[in-house]
Amino acid sequence: MSTRTLPLLFLNLGGEMLYILDQRLRAQSIPGEKARKDEWTDVDRKRVMNDIISAMFKKNFMEELFKPQDLYSKKALRTVYDRLAHTSIMRLNQASMDKLYDLMTMAFKYQVLLCPRPRDILLVTFNHLDAIKDFISDSPGILNQVDETFRQLIETYNCLSDGEFQLIRQTLLIFFQDMHIRVSIFLKDKVQNSNGRFVLPISGPVPWGTEVPGLIRIFNHKGVEVKRAEFTTAGNYVTPQREGSFELYGDRVLKLGTNMYSVTRPVETHVSGSSKNLASQAKENIVPNPLAKEELNFLARLLGGLDIQKPAGGETGFRLNLFTTDEEEEHAAQTRPEELSYKVINIEATQEPGRRAELSRILGELEVAEPRPGSAEKGEDLLALMDGL
Amino acid sequence: PLGVPPLRPYRRERSLALRSSSSALYNNLAVLCPPARRPAFGGGLGGLQQEGFGAPAPGGSCGVLPVPPAPAPLRPSQAAWCELPSRVLLVLTSQRGVQMYESDGSTMVFWHALHVPEHPAAHPVFARGIAAAGGRFICVGTSSGAVLVFDIPPKGTNVTLSEILEQHRDPITDIAAEQGQALDGAGDLVTADDSGTLCLWSTGEEFTLLGKIPGSGCTCSSVRLWNGIVAAGYGNGQIRLWEAGSGRIRAQVSAHARWIYALDLAPLTGKLLSGAEDSFVHVWQLSKDPDTDGIEIQHCHAECVTDTQVCGARFCDPAGDTFAVTGYDLSEIICY
């Protein structure tokens, strides 16, 4: 499958994560003067957004991301977002982090599925980046970083053919396969059915470059058109108005990838699926499956460059709750179906040079043989070591 | 006169449950229709270790024939039954290469590894596009544009790579052999790629390139060849009919609102089946007037598979009276 999928997956999921965090932080924020020590203010919110965005778009981080590589597992990717979400003073409990990840992934799955053309995934990405730039519009340093990434995206992807984009899309769809978590905002807007599957409309504008179905043209052996016929179907399509812009600035036209959350629309998920789907997800999570060696390498390199902020002094950091009450969060943690648990690996890869060297040495020592069935044990040793760091 | 057989409406019948869901890959449904026996189905099933193939058991219930589980890069992304005069082989393609099994998936007959670079390159490596050709060969396409031609012995495992065809510069999407009567000079094999380029070949000890229809940048994801007519499905939802001998376009249909993923042809009647991301499956009637050399295509029937992006569609009998469909994230094969 495509080796150019990871940057798109990461940036779009990251974008969704920022939309959700921003909405929750706004919903839970108190005006500065009135706030108690453990309550969020606008200043706190901006700081968190700045910290996370700055970490996401860091140069070394992006360099690793843009290297041609296969997609990693949901587990490995989830670990990256766990660390990202904690690069600031904000703390999330497992239940809230699970919910955040559910929302992020279902939102991007929806966007990939509904993209009119495979190439439009790039427009979706640009929509996310446009919004991210808005979040940090008063921080020129970070803005620069984001623009750099924007340029790298344009350089890497604008020249790809439709066929290559379809391969990227197919790779993404395989990543999202069998995920049918129900999201309240989607259910309410009737873009998702109660069985967790998305509604695929058979009306509306056709993709740019496609004709409205219905015309049959017949040519003779000299290439001259000799007959026209029409057929009708249940679909109700129209021609699109214009194409979205693939430049650094421009009207993207496509709405997919823009922020669908606002303070007035609470963010909820129902975490369940039909039993058939759970069966297939169960297989992936219950069989002991430590992260593959390549995934550990990738994570070590990627996370090694992440700036993890430890809360100053005795502060434990502000906790953000993705649910409406603490009790709800607790309840969600206890009732989350076993099959949907992400079984996150706790990798404490820090910025301290000493620790990082240690990590590299450990990984280097293990880089002796090709993975064999027996190497599952080695993987577990490494994880144990890393947990202890 | 261009006679069109009476239209018989299709209706949705049973569904076969799959153990896992189908992936969004081109031409993702294979059907084996042994005479006097019920058809067996196969496809690129996603996400998990085990692939399965449904074979309707007596009484209509579905049995699954598991293919031995394989680690990620070896997971089949495409499956096809290749019917040769002497035997039927089940061919699976993946990121690492090509596997060939006896038709019931029981024994592996042959394995060809693709050259995979040390570190992932910008250009992915995979095999895609499978067809039996010339009564003796199995052709498999690759992401480099090369088409591998395997010489298949009547029995046993002595399969050899007889030739590598290098006319395409973009990843191969589909390959099809002539299902009717090949015309002189029209070739009996067509190969298609990501750029929409079609190549026509004459098969044999050495394959000969007879013609090339240049692409216009729009991916041709699925292709069929019947009585010298190439039927091609494209990423912009169009179906085009080309004259294999001259390379001229004979028909253009704005068939679908999204990327076409599958085409199939019923050789006895010239019925064409198309399935696409727009949730629709259409049945068309191809016809050829021997007197005027006129080629026609008419719309017969449409089915909407609600909320599903169709990725596999195949006729289950040579006359095209029944067909089967599957889609992304769908854990079933729907039969009409």
Side-chain angles (χ1 to χ4, degrees):
Chain A
M1 303 309 295
S2 177
T3 51
R4 292 208 173 287
T5 317
L6 191 59
L8 297 179
L9 181 62
F10 176 78
L11 287 170
N12 283 291
L13 286 181
E16 287 301 315
M17 179 176 85
L18 289 165
Y19 288 160
I20 298 163
L21 290 178
D22 182 65
Q23 191 270 340
R24 288 311 286 168
L25 288 168
R26 281 177 197 272
Q28 290 182 359
S29 87
I30 313 284
E33 331 79 61
K34 299 192 194 150
R36 297 193 316 260
K37 195 164 184 279
D38 59 349
E39 282 176 333
W40 291 104
T41 64
D42 243 23
V43 172
D44 295 324
R45 173 176 58 80
K46 286 217 168 115
R47 180 179 163 191
V48 169
M49 297 298 281
N50 276 16
D51 286 346
I52 296 179
I53 294 171
S54 172
M56 261 177 80
F57 289 87
K58 205 137 171 265
K59 193 160 185 227
N60 335 2
F61 194 80
M62 277 298 145
E63 258 169 27
E64 277 302 324
L65 210 65
F66 270 82
K67 288 185 184 158
Q69 57 201 312
D70 286 324
L71 272 193
Y72 294 99
S73 66
K74 289 193 190 72
K75 209 180 302 188
L77 210 60
R78 160 68 194 265
T79 312
V80 177
Y81 289 108
D82 252 1
R83 302 308 294 158
L84 257 187
H86 288 93
T87 49
S88 186
I89 52 173
M90 184 183 70
R91 291 286 165 271
L92 286 163
N93 284 346
Q94 175 89 322
S96 277
M97 193 62 219
D98 283 345
K99 178 169 164 174
L100 178 62
Y101 197 66
D102 286 344
L103 284 169
M104 284 158 58
T105 40
M106 287 309 286
F108 189 42
K109 177 175 183 176
Y110 172 68
Q111 289 152 17
V112 173
L113 211 51
L114 262 81
C115 258
R117 301 171 298 177
R119 178 179 301 276
D120 292 335
I121 290 177
L122 206 49
L123 288 178
V124 173
T125 315
F126 290 162
N127 270 335
H128 281 116
L129 286 189
D130 287 340
I132 288 173
K133 280 164 73 171
D134 224 29
F135 284 137
I136 39 116
S137 51
D138 35 351
S139 307
I142 312 176
L143 201 54
N144 243 352
Q145 284 175 259
V146 179
D147 269 340
E148 255 318 296
T149 304
F150 219 124
R151 271 180 223 113
Q152 195 170 3
L153 275 174
I154 290 175
E155 194 186 298
T156 311
Y157 291 99
N158 272 18
C159 56
L160 294 189
S161 68
D162 287 340
E164 283 168 296
F165 268 111
Q166 182 62 285
L167 191 68
I168 288 173
R169 182 171 175 278
Q170 290 170 346
T171 311
L172 287 170
L173 288 178
I174 288 177
F175 183 83
F176 290 124
Q177 201 154 336
D178 298 324
M179 290 191 68
H180 300 293
I181 298 165
R182 299 194 305 255
V183 178
S184 293
I185 202 174
F186 287 141
L187 294 170
K188 242 173 251 165
D189 287 349
K190 302 229 186 302
V191 303
Q192 190 179 29
N193 295 318
S194 55
N195 61 4
R197 287 164 189 277
F198 290 116
V199 172
L200 300 183
I202 54 171
S203 59
V206 289
W208 190 262
T210 294
E211 286 166 10
V212 172
L215 187 61
I216 300 175
R217 299 166 68 193
I218 306 286
F219 304 91
N220 67 12
H221 60 277
K222 293 205 193 96
V224 177
E225 185 182 310
V226 291
K227 184 175 168 185
R228 283 198 169 200
E230 288 196 8
F231 68 93
T232 52
T233 60
N236 185 13
Y237 298 102
V238 294
T239 36
Q241 297 251 324
R242 59 192 191 285
E243 193 186 9
S245 161
F246 287 86
E247 308 293 314
L248 194 56
Y249 301 98
D251 179 8
R252 312 296 173 198
V253 179
L254 198 63
K255 292 286 161 264
L256 294 170
T258 55
N259 196 344
M260 62 178 164
Y261 305 104
S262 67
V263 194
T264 53
R265 307 191 78 180
V267 167
E268 297 159 31
T269 49
H270 295 294
V271 181
S272 61
S274 67
S275 51
K276 225 183 356 175
N277 299 314
L278 284 179
S280 46
Q281 276 185 317
K283 272 189 208 167
E284 193 177 358
N285 287 319
I286 282 175
V287 172
N289 180 21
L291 294 175
K293 202 184 72 171
E294 310 87 63
E295 285 180 331
L296 287 170
N297 285 345
F298 161 73
L299 281 177
R301 285 196 312 272
L302 207 62
L303 300 175
L306 264 189
D307 213 349
I308 316 288
Q309 259 211 45
K310 288 268 188 282
E315 274 183 272
T316 46
F318 293 94
R319 198 169 64 75
L320 180 68
N321 189 348
L322 270 265
F323 299 83
T324 3
T325 62
D326 286 348
E327 291 72 36
E328 234 189 270
E329 190 187 43
E330 176 66 31
H331 179 74
Q334 285 169 350
T335 57
R336 188 176 180 87
E338 177 63 27
E339 309 84 71
L340 293 180
S341 135
Y342 289 104
K343 290 199 171 34
V344 179
I345 311 298
N346 192 6
I347 295 182
E348 286 289 333
T350 72
Q351 183 70 323
E352 280 176 59
R355 288 264 168 103
R356 225 167 359 131
E358 176 77 2
L359 187 59
S360 299
R361 184 186 64 77
I362 293 167
L363 286 174
E365 277 175 343
L366 288 174
E367 224 141 299
V368 281
E370 278 305 297
R372 289 155 310 149
S375 68
E377 290 155 348
K378 277 192 180 166
E380 275 162 1
D381 285 343
L382 174 65
L383 296 177
L385 274 168
M386 294 174 105
D387 274 344
L389 275 177
Chain B
L2 296 163
V4 179
L7 300 175
R8 208 180 120 255
Y10 296 89
R11 60 168 196 281
R12 180 168 169 161
E13 295 200 336
R14 66 218 160 115
S15 297
L16 302 173
L18 298 170
R19 197 187 287 174
S20 47
S21 59
S22 303
S23 295
L25 299 163
Y26 301 143
N27 308 300
N28 198 9
L29 184 63
V31 177
L32 179 63
C33 309
R37 287 210 330 257
R38 303 180 78 180
F41 304 89
L45 307 174
L48 305 180
Q49 292 93 331
Q50 271 206 331
E51 305 305 327
F53 297 85
S61 63
C62 178
V64 174
L65 302 166
V67 168
L74 292 178
R75 270 205 292 272
S77 57
Q78 193 179 23
W81 273 286
C82 290
E83 296 183 59
L84 294 165
S86 50
R87 67 202 295 193
V88 176
L89 289 181
L90 175 63
V91 180
L92 308 176
T93 59
S94 69
Q95 266 180 270
R96 286 293 162 85
V98 184
Q99 302 162 60
M100 297 188 192
Y101 292 82
E102 296 294 354
S103 62
D104 61 0
S106 58
T107 343
M108 177 146 83
V109 168
F110 180 69
W111 153 243
H112 174 90
L114 289 175
H115 171 66
V116 179
E118 265 291 307
H119 301 286
H123 296 290
V125 174
F126 55 84
R128 183 173 62 186
I130 307 168
R136 184 180 145 192
F137 304 99
I138 288 180
C139 300
V140 179
T142 66
S143 47
S144 66
V147 176
L148 308 171
V149 180
F150 295 98
D151 197 336
I152 313 293
K155 52 181 193 210
T157 59
N158 191 19
V159 174
T160 52
L161 176 61
S162 108
E163 210 179 339
I164 299 180
L165 309 175
E166 284 171 322
Q167 282 292 331
H168 289 274
R169 283 200 295 269
D170 296 278
I172 302 293
T173 48
D174 197 15
I175 305 178
E178 170 64 74
Q179 286 177 262
Q181 292 288 93
L183 306 179
D184 281 334
D188 57 339
L189 187 78
V190 60
T191 53
D193 72 25
D194 255 2
S195 73
T197 301
L198 302 169
C199 286
L200 285 134
W201 308 86
S202 146
T203 64
E205 283 281 338
E206 262 183 43
F207 280 43
T208 322
L209 177 72
L210 296 180
K212 205 185 244 191
I213 299 171
S216 50
C218 190
T219 301
C220 172
S221 39
S222 204
V223 77
R224 283 289 180 265
L225 180 57
W226 182 69
N227 292 342
I229 306 172
V230 175
Y234 293 84
N236 64 359
Q238 277 189 0
I239 292 176
R240 294 189 197 144
L241 299 185
W242 304 87
E243 210 172 68
S246 63
R248 286 206 196 89
I249 190 168
R250 295 306 298 266
Q252 183 167 297
V253 186
S254 307
H256 288 273
R258 293 274 193 286
W259 203 285
I260 292 180
Y261 259 65
L263 281 189
D264 198 21
L265 198 134
L268 287 187
T269 54
K271 284 221 183 94
L272 184 72
L273 184 69
S274 65
E277 284 176 357
D278 64 353
S279 304
F280 279 93
V281 177
H282 291 296
V283 181
W284 315 85
Q285 179 65 62
L286 299 192
S287 53
K288 213 169 164 190
D289 188 336
D291 302 325
T292 65
D293 246 357
I295 293 174
E296 274 235 11
I297 177 168
Q298 286 182 319
H299 184 254
C300 297
H301 185 80
E303 280 292 335
C304 181
V305 190
T306 312
D307 298 336
T308 302
Q309 298 198 340
V310 174
C311 59
R314 292 264 186 169
F315 284 119
C316 298
D317 67 281
D321 290 331
T322 53
F323 60 88
V325 171
T326 192
Y328 170 67
D329 250 355
L330 214 58
S331 297
E332 56 179 343
I333 296 171
I334 306 170
C335 303
Y336 295 81

